[in-house]
Structure formats: structure tokens, C-alpha cells
Amino acid sequence: MAINFFSDAEVQQILKGEEKYFVIQALSEEIAFLQSFLSQQERQIHDYCENFEKYVEEVEAEQFYWLGSGEPEMIMVPIRHVDGIMESDYDIKGVFTEILPIYQRQSMLITLWARFEVKLKDIVSYLHSERSTKPRKKAKNESVFAQNISELTHFGIDFSGKDLLSVIDSLDNIVRPIRNCWVHDGGIAETTKIKSLIEKSKNLSVTDGLVNVSSAYLYEVGSLMSLLASHIYHEIGIRRKC
């Protein structure tokens, strides 16, 4: 006969505690998985650009040829293309190896921010559910990210360290606006604020009028998020602040 050392209430408390740590740990795990995936994506982009020629197909097509006198002749000419996009119509190497990777990396930035914000909100929601309370309404001009940090501060998490404040400021006032530029303005670097952020960053640039998010910038963003996630886990999971 099994001996139950814990009462039903104590078992529920233990399970509740485990559930809480899963929610908190999920933030760090999400970032770790995305960082790994981003690294793989970057290798694929690099390999594709380095070996672009092997993706270019060449076919023969009929084309009229006229020397300036007499009747035009029908000749066969080689045509190079990538999935039907002709080199005769576009600079396919420039488009596929310089412009389209910009779109690929910006989508990575958007995904990274979206999952980070969702998991951060999950922690806030869970802490409120423990207390049967509700999050306050977001203030005018306050970002969702800033609201979540404010909520966690209210729960007792200490973000007062100089390095942490710098991380939070970078995420809210640099990374988020760059992400928003792509989400809301198609990546067009036209506002004074965005231009200023690009000028101050060695990992951001402008290509054909678009904010070019480098792989180094994505690594930088992931590192900032990872630092914040680790601090939140330490405050709740180790120091049991809330």
C-alpha cells in the first residue's frame, strides 16, 4: 500500500509550483530555440548566396533576329532564369542574393519579437491568475513590452540594475521601433527616429531605402532577450520574488 506523505492540498501546491516554473522557463526556451533556428536560417542564406549559380536554370527559346535588312530570322537563344524569373528582365543575382535576404532577416526579427512578447505576457497573465487579479490597462503611448515590464515590477521583480535598465531600454526604444518599421512601414527608413537608430548601430544599414537587419543584429537582439529572460527566471524561480 502506497503511503501518501502529502495532503491533497500540498500535492496541488506542488503541481501549481511546477506549472509556474514551466511558464517562466518557457520564455528562455522559446528564445533559445529561435536563436538556434535563426543560426540555421543564416547558414542557409549564406550557402544559397554563395552557390547561387547552381539554382539558375538555362533553357533555349526561339527569338526573332534581324540584321537590319531582309526578313527576320528565328533563332534559338539561351535564356537564364530562376523559377521563371528571367535574367533578361531582372538582375536576378542582385535580387536573390542582396534584396530578398533582407526580407528573410526582417521576418526573423518580427518572429523573434512576437514570440518574446507572447511568452512575457504569459508570465504576467499567470502571476495575475495566481492572485485572481487583472492587468492594468495599458497607458497611452505605452508599449505592450513596457506594460509587461511594469506589471512584473509590480509583482516584485527588481529591474533597477544599470545593465538591466540598459537591456530594457534597448529592447523598447531600439529593437521595437525597428521591428515596427518593418511591420507598419514595410521597412522603409524614412522617419528621423529610424534613420537615427540606424546611424547609431553598426549592425543596421539601409539598402535600396530599406532597413537592412544584419545577422549580427539578430544575434544582438536574441542576446538582449536572453539576458532579460534569465533575470526573470532567476527572480521568480530562484529568489522566489513572486
Side-chain angles (χ1 to χ4, degrees):
M1 180 178 178
I3 300 174
N4 189 356
F5 294 100
F6 302 101
S7 67
D8 290 343
E10 288 172 328
V11 169
Q12 289 300 315
Q13 189 66 27
I14 292 170
L15 293 175
K16 194 73 174 176
E18 290 179 348
E19 181 184 36
K20 183 176 185 177
Y21 294 128
F22 285 140
V23 173
I24 301 164
Q25 183 64 21
L27 175 61
S28 295
E29 289 176 345
E30 190 85 6
I31 296 167
F33 277 115
L34 284 173
Q35 283 181 304
S36 176
F37 182 69
L38 296 183
S39 295
Q40 294 178 50
Q41 288 283 294
E42 193 56 42
R43 284 196 292 271
Q44 290 173 17
I45 291 173
H46 177 77
D47 290 345
Y48 177 80
C49 293
E50 285 291 305
N51 301 286
F52 177 72
E53 283 299 319
K54 79 176 186 180
Y55 299 102
V56 179
E57 298 180 63
E58 187 172 296
V59 296
E60 288 196 334
E62 294 181 336
Q63 183 175 305
F64 282 109
Y65 182 73
W66 187 50
L67 293 173
S69 62
E71 294 294 322
E73 296 181 33
M74 183 70 75
I75 61 173
M76 300 298 292
V77 296
I79 294 180
R80 285 161 51 89
H81 72 95
V82 174
D83 290 331
I85 299 178
M86 305 297 178
E87 189 176 52
S88 56
D89 297 327
Y90 304 97
D91 173 15
I92 55 175
K93 185 173 183 179
V95 170
F96 281 93
T97 64
E98 296 175 23
I99 303 302
L100 293 183
I102 294 176
Y103 290 97
Q104 182 75 356
R105 292 189 183 102
Q106 66 85 17
S107 69
M108 295 178 188
L109 176 64
I110 292 171
T111 299
L112 191 58
W113 184 268
R115 297 309 303 162
F116 172 69
E117 203 167 62
V118 164
K119 291 302 180 181
L120 199 58
K121 188 176 180 179
D122 284 347
I123 295 173
V124 172
S125 298
Y126 187 87
L127 294 175
H128 273 294
S129 70
E130 276 191 324
R131 295 157 176 77
S132 299
T133 55
K134 293 182 179 180
R136 64 170 178 79
K137 289 185 178 180
K138 187 169 72 68
K140 185 179 180 181
N141 298 325
E142 181 185 32
S143 68
V144 173
F145 170 73
Q147 180 191 24
N148 285 328
I149 294 299
S150 175
E151 291 287 303
L152 291 173
T153 302
H154 176 74
F155 284 124
I157 297 180
D158 182 13
F159 294 109
S160 63
K162 183 179 179 180
D163 290 342
L164 275 173
L165 290 174
S166 177
V167 167
I168 291 170
D169 180 67
S170 295
L171 288 170
D172 198 31
N173 297 310
I174 300 177
V175 178
R176 185 178 58 83
I178 294 297
R179 172 263 184 194
N180 287 349
C181 178
W182 268 106
V183 171
H184 302 297
D185 300 318
I188 300 174
E190 57 183 4
T191 68
T192 302
K193 180 176 182 178
I194 294 300
K195 289 178 181 178
S196 176
L197 292 177
I198 293 169
E199 289 174 1
K200 294 175 182 177
S201 174
K202 63 181 180 180
N203 295 323
L204 292 172
S205 59
V206 177
T207 302
D208 283 0
L210 300 174
V211 180
N212 191 343
V213 176
S214 68
S215 58
Y217 187 74
L218 290 173
Y219 178 82
E220 179 185 333
V221 171
S223 296
L224 291 171
M225 292 178 173
S226 184
L227 283 170
L228 188 60
S230 296
H231 177 73
I232 292 171
Y233 181 82
H234 184 266
E235 287 284 283
I236 301 176
I238 307 300
R239 300 187 67 189
R240 300 178 183 272
K241 283 292 190 72
C242 52

